[in-house]
Amino acid sequence: MAFDIEMIKAVYEKYPSRISAARKAVGRSLTLTEKILYAHLTQGEPSKAFERGVSYVDFNPDRVAMQDATAQMALLQFMQAGRNQAAVPSTVHCDHLIQAEVGATADLNKAKDKNREVYDFLSSVSNKYGIGFWKPGAGIIHQVVLENYAFPGGMMIGTDSHTPNAGGLGMIAIGVGGADACDVMAGLPWELKFPKLIGVKLTGKLSGWTSAKDVILKVAGILTVKGGTGAVVEYFGDGARSLSATGKGTICNMGAEIGATTSIFGYDQKSEAYLRGTERGDMADMANEIKEHLTGDEEVYNHPEKYFDQVIEINLSELEPHINGPFTPDLAWPLSKFAAAVRENGWPAKLEVGLIGSCTNSSYEDISRAASLAKQAVDKKLIAKSEYTITPGSEQVRYTVDRDGFLDIFGQMGGVVLANACGPCIGQWARHGAEKQEKNSIITSFNRNFAKRADGNPNTHAFVASPEIVTALAIAGDLTFNPIKDTLTNEEGQQVKLEEPAGLELPTKGFAVEDAGYQAPATDGSKVEVIVDIKSERLQLLEPFKAWEGTDLKGLKLLIKAKGKCTTDHISMAGPWLRYRGHLDNISNNMLIGAVNAYNGETNKVKNQLSGEYGEVPAVQRQYKLHGVGSIVVGDENYGEGSSREHAAMEPRFLGVRAILVKSFARIHETNLKKQGMLALTFANASDYDLIQEDDSIDINGLTSFRPGLPLSVVLNHADGSKHEIQVNHTYNEGQIEWFKAGSALNLIKASV
Ligand code: MIC
Ligand code: SF4
């Protein structure tokens, strides 16, 4: 990819002068995160230190990556932006829409047929605007990016929350909504609140059953699902240097689960080996020339407490394998404590399915280590008790592990190889019997395990672990099995023990692939036509949202007060709804259907204040819209956690919700709301959440003097005639207030053409 080499050269040329200017401006040594951020400032030479967690700063990312389920909306917006070409190298990856049912080939063919309209749209729109297109079957966005595009010291945004996977190769890679991607492709700077910095010092070395996944499972347990909000997690130390590049990718990938803006490792010999192993020796040579800039300053790593806002230390030699779950990725259990937890909590001990792979854990190393266990099972005459599936992350990995015999070993153990795609990780799983909603357990090497996510069954207890642990437990068919100490009975009635897994970081014979599945865009796309059928139920051209009416908002009806966890999966469920990701009207029928109503503890059942009757959330909201009545959604902590999908922000906007008022937001979701011209507000006093009543009509005052840093006031008009006035905060800067006024950020871009 010659174009990339030129781009990377240009980035690297700026490094020495920018870094020394930054060091001078800041007057101290620099972390790696700061170096990369300073090297990508739009304003040129850095002239001052930014206040972490406070200052909004403009950056020029080097790349944009989009996956099919979010690219549709991103590109529908980009089509409105009035540009001829994407301003920075960009790619689209078809990975989310392939449903796992029987196995790779059949599932992929079925998906190509079922999703033809969407693939044709994405392929032609990419072709038109100079965007690289990775066809269905090519692999999962983050793995394909790691193998082809990620480079040390680069900066990328991607319309998927696990974009930070590229941090494994030393790139600042951040998950965003489609509207942000649209801005960057339109040539505008990309804005980010200057992040806080969490340093994780890794000492020692992994061994035995422990793998890179356990580092992030442990960190998730320490920091919880909101502990990384607004922060970049930077890993360093001898232990960091001992991890493979793909292992580092796993850790950075799953950093999304602690809400981190991104995670990163410095450039080292393992990164170099991975670049050379993926036929990018020229990039490795270039990186070597400026390698002191591609890692944090020594002084920083010697005295991390002086440079990071928080420091965590983990000794890899003492780290135990972990299993996290159920229902949340931060409920971390060391393996030695897990069996007791299963018994005490009454989780189903019988393991129905073990699933390995996904964007998080599908490297050559992961697959070879898991295969070493599968081989033992076959050799020791153990029959795997659970169903077992393997999702390779890319066609290159799949082809190579097939060539090296690993897929065959999995087959002998009874494993089923699924397409190179997201599949069960995002509810694209035709799991037979799931509709019966039986209580059951599954374990995956994926990253998220929110309720209903994999198979739509709220009673599926999903746990997350390394591919090695998933494989061992699938062989045992039992969640309480501890492969480090327990034995299993084989077909011949003998007690056998699994030896520690073993594998290779990179294939000794190198990677191979016949057709990686890439389609380069036309050099001149001006003649390429993009067709969207107006009768389509899957694609719909966007209509601009209305500008703000210039007054305070009075009499908003409370649509729902959501209680507890309200992730983007609760706000805009994936699985069967992925089908409508390009059709705003149709997908809006899933709005908030998974959120728990604080007044009755039920999902998708809220009071319609116009009729007094209870109805489904989208239906009630459509009634408000029909009657021209605005509404408001109230939520709890970390509202909008999880995915980058901007549908979770666009749906309420489209259906006429005017504000989302919560205790706290997850970063991507808050930005998505702002971009779409919605009011994203937080309670100044979290306990005011309790004052909101089911029949409230709510006023938002202060909008005519809406200013950065100035709280707004909210009046709760209760049904009995009493009132409460409360203060609410916001984080809008000047520019973002303009988005609100214009009705959306896109309306402003259009106006600027
Ligand atoms: C996810 O893992 O939740 C997804 C599906 O990849 C999402 C993107 C989407 O909803 O399309 C994400 O992580 O951003
Ligand atoms: Fe796909 Fe799952 Fe990765 Fe999201 S987390 S990109 S759904 S494999």
Side-chain angles (χ1 to χ4, degrees):
M1 313 220 162
F3 182 45
D4 266 41
I5 285 295
E6 290 312 311
M7 181 263 281
I8 297 169
K9 221 185 247 160
V11 173
Y12 283 0
E13 263 162 20
K14 285 191 253 157
Y15 256 90
S17 64
R18 285 215 169 186
I19 302 295
S20 62
R23 226 181 255 121
K24 225 182 271 158
V26 184
R28 57 166 172 77
S29 304
L30 297 174
T31 61
L32 171 60
T33 307
E34 288 166 314
K35 290 184 187 180
I36 304 182
L37 290 179
Y38 288 140
H40 288 84
L41 292 178
T42 21
Q43 65 184 49
E45 300 299 324
S47 58
K48 63 174 172 53
F50 301 107
E51 209 182 327
R52 295 179 189 174
V54 177
S55 318
Y56 278 97
V57 181
D58 281 350
F59 296 100
N60 280 329
D62 307 313
R63 293 203 73 87
V64 173
M66 292 164 279
Q67 43 89 342
D68 50 3
T70 48
Q72 296 169 64
M73 215 33 105
L75 292 168
L76 283 166
Q77 293 176 78
F78 185 66
M79 284 167 71
Q80 308 274 311
R83 305 297 198 269
N84 297 330
Q85 278 260 317
V88 299
S90 305
T91 47
V92 165
H93 303 260
C94 295
D95 51 4
H96 279 63
L97 302 178
I98 302 167
Q99 192 181 45
E101 190 172 5
V102 286
T105 314
D107 294 349
L108 179 60
N109 287 337
K110 197 163 164 192
K112 283 187 186 157
D113 194 40
K114 253 175 62 184
N115 302 316
R116 182 170 318 260
E117 185 186 5
V118 172
Y119 293 146
D120 285 351
F121 166 72
L122 289 174
S123 146
S124 63
V125 90
S126 301
N127 199 14
K128 181 167 183 66
Y129 295 111
I131 298 169
F133 179 72
W134 289 81
K135 299 178 211 167
I140 310 176
I141 174 169
H142 311 302
Q143 184 64 33
V144 174
V145 164
L146 193 71
E147 286 169 11
N148 295 278
Y149 301 122
F151 68 96
M155 183 177 195
M156 174 176 90
I157 58 163
T159 61
D160 190 280
S161 66
H162 295 106
T163 303
N165 192 63
L169 210 47
M171 190 170 206
I172 288 274
I174 303 183
V176 298
D180 283 42
C182 175
D183 284 2
V184 173
M185 289 190 294
L188 300 177
W190 179 68
E191 159 190 89
L192 178 74
K193 212 187 262 176
F194 203 85
K196 294 198 170 155
L197 301 179
I198 299 177
V200 180
K201 181 173 180 178
L202 300 179
T203 58
K205 204 166 181 327
L206 295 174
S207 63
W209 283 89
T210 311
S211 73
K213 178 78 156 203
D214 299 305
V215 175
I216 186 62
L217 293 175
K218 164 106 185 160
V219 169
I222 298 171
L223 286 174
T224 78
V225 288
K226 46 178 301 220
T229 309
V232 172
V233 185
E234 183 169 324
Y235 291 84
F236 59 92
D238 295 351
R241 283 191 294 274
S242 73
L243 298 171
S244 65
T246 49
K248 292 175 172 116
T250 296
I251 295 172
C252 294
N253 176 308
M254 210 183 145
E257 269 48 70
I258 52 168
T261 301
T262 192
S263 304
I264 192 162
F265 282 82
Y267 180 71
D268 59 22
Q269 283 173 1
K270 300 284 188 175
S271 338
E272 178 176 354
Y274 185 74
L275 282 174
R276 296 197 190 282
T278 48
E279 290 180 19
R280 290 176 291 170
D282 40 5
M283 285 192 204
D285 293 340
M286 280 161 51
N288 282 341
E289 276 174 37
I290 60 154
K291 67 174 178 225
E292 75 274 22
H293 300 310
L294 301 177
T295 182
D297 287 344
E298 224 179 283
E299 153 67 17
V300 169
Y301 293 157
N302 288 339
H303 302 100
E305 51 312 317
K306 281 182 19 202
Y307 299 90
F308 292 98
D309 299 288
Q310 181 181 357
V311 180
I312 294 171
E313 192 167 331
I314 297 175
N315 182 345
L316 300 183
S317 309
E318 290 167 3
L319 182 66
E320 255 196 79
H322 275 62
I323 297 179
N324 290 18
F327 306 124
T328 184
D330 57 352
L331 194 56
W333 305 97
L335 183 60
S336 57
K337 306 242 160 48
F338 185 63
V342 170
R343 286 186 209 105
E344 276 159 29
N345 291 288
W347 298 326
K350 175 167 183 263
L351 178 62
E352 302 291 337
V353 196
L355 306 98
I356 67 159
S358 90
C359 67
T360 334
N361 271 107
S362 53
S363 62
Y364 188 86
E365 183 180 27
D366 290 330
I367 303 223
S368 61
R369 281 173 63 87
S372 76
L373 296 168
K375 176 145 188 351
Q376 289 184 50
V378 176
D379 292 348
K380 297 183 183 187
K381 302 204 163 42
L382 285 162
I383 297 182
K385 299 265 174 39
S386 309
E387 283 176 48
Y388 182 69
T389 69
I390 304 99
T391 315
S394 71
E395 175 56 14
Q396 174 161 284
V397 163
R398 191 211 59 81
Y399 190 94
T400 310
V401 296
D402 191 20
R403 178 201 65 193
D404 294 350
F406 300 135
L407 296 187
D408 186 43
I409 298 171
F410 289 132
Q412 291 176 40
M413 179 185 127
V416 175
V417 180
L418 301 174
N420 312 318
C422 301
C425 179
I426 190 52
Q428 291 283 32
W429 188 18
R431 187 178 178 199
H432 301 290
E435 66 290 347
K436 287 188 237 141
Q437 306 218 335
E438 280 162 351
K439 197 167 159 186
N440 76 101
S441 291
I442 64 171
I443 189 163
T444 79
S445 72
F446 310 161
N447 39 35
R448 296 204 166 128
N449 55 350
F450 305 139
K452 295 195 195 174
R453 181 175 167 93
D455 62 0
N457 174 1
N459 300 317
T460 293
H461 291 54
F463 296 89
V464 181
S466 65
E468 296 88 322
I469 293 294
V470 171
T471 307
L473 266 54
I475 295 170
D478 182 357
L479 272 189
T480 63
F481 173 65
N482 178 347
I484 297 181
K485 59 180 189 53
D486 298 339
T487 55
L488 294 166
T489 315
N490 74 1
E491 265 177 278
E492 288 162 5
Q494 296 153 333
Q495 289 299 301
V496 294
K497 204 162 170 298
L498 293 173
E499 308 299 326
E500 291 169 356
L504 290 168
E505 287 179 16
L506 290 165
T508 27
K509 284 190 267 169
F511 282 107
V513 68
E514 240 161 44
D515 175 9
Y518 178 68
Q519 170 192 298
T523 355
D524 173 13
S526 59
K527 303 255 151 41
V528 177
E529 254 196 278
V530 180
I531 300 160
V532 174
D533 180 351
I534 49 163
K535 292 194 298 295
S536 169
E537 56 155 27
R538 296 193 62 177
L539 294 166
Q540 181 187 43
L541 294 175
L542 290 171
E543 293 286 335
F545 293 133
K546 276 211 200 88
W548 172 53
E549 58 270 61
T551 59
D552 284 338
L553 303 179
K554 303 281 184 192
L556 305 179
K557 300 291 177 207
L558 176 71
L559 174 64
I560 183 171
K561 173 159 130 177
K563 188 175 84 179
K565 216 172 179 59
C566 194
T567 72
T568 40
D569 281 353
H570 296 80
I571 307 172
S572 176
M573 193 192 178
W577 293 91
L578 284 169
R579 179 173 174 75
Y580 299 118
R581 284 290 185 87
H583 197 294
L584 186 52
D585 196 1
N586 284 345
I587 197 159
S588 294
N589 289 330
N590 78 357
M591 185 184 74
L592 283 157
I593 59 177
V596 177
N597 180 353
Y599 302 108
N600 56 14
E602 294 190 56
T603 52
N604 208 15
K605 193 168 170 197
V606 293
K607 187 163 181 182
N608 177 341
Q609 290 199 38
L610 301 178
S611 65
E613 316 226 305
Y614 283 81
E616 297 181 344
V617 187
V620 170
Q621 181 54 37
R622 283 192 190 269
Q623 281 300 311
Y624 291 150
K625 184 176 184 179
L626 190 70
H627 291 91
V629 179
S631 66
I632 179 167
V633 168
V634 171
D636 221 314
E637 296 284 3
N638 211 22
Y639 182 89
E641 159 190 357
S643 158
S644 65
R645 64 189 75 140
E646 63 198 325
H647 306 76
M650 293 178 92
E651 293 173 26
R653 179 76 176 101
F654 175 73
L655 290 182
V657 177
R658 304 300 303 269
I660 312 284
L661 170 60
V662 300
K663 292 186 187 168
S664 62
F665 281 111
R667 173 189 62 89
I668 309 180
H669 187 60
E670 184 179 19
T671 308
N672 286 346
L673 287 167
K674 291 179 178 176
K675 286 247 141 151
Q676 302 300 339
M678 181 75 98
L679 279 175
L681 308 172
T682 52
F683 292 102
N685 297 308
S687 60
D688 288 347
Y689 169 92
D690 300 328
L691 297 175
I692 313 268
Q693 296 176 15
E694 193 172 22
D695 291 305
D696 280 355
S697 280
I698 297 174
D699 307 332
I700 301 176
N701 296 326
L703 291 173
T704 46
S705 48
F706 195 8
R707 272 208 304 281
L710 188 70
L712 297 170
S713 123
V714 161
V715 178
L716 310 173
N717 302 291
H718 305 304
D720 65 0
S722 66
K723 287 180 200 292
H724 272 104
E725 182 162 354
I726 59 173
Q727 213 186 65
V728 297
N729 293 334
H730 68 83
T731 59
Y732 289 72
N733 62 20
E734 307 265 356
Q736 296 169 342
I737 290 176
E738 293 309 311
W739 303 343
F740 166 73
K741 291 185 175 164
S744 71
L746 185 59
N747 288 352
L748 277 186
I749 306 184
K750 270 165 88 171
S752 73
V753 181

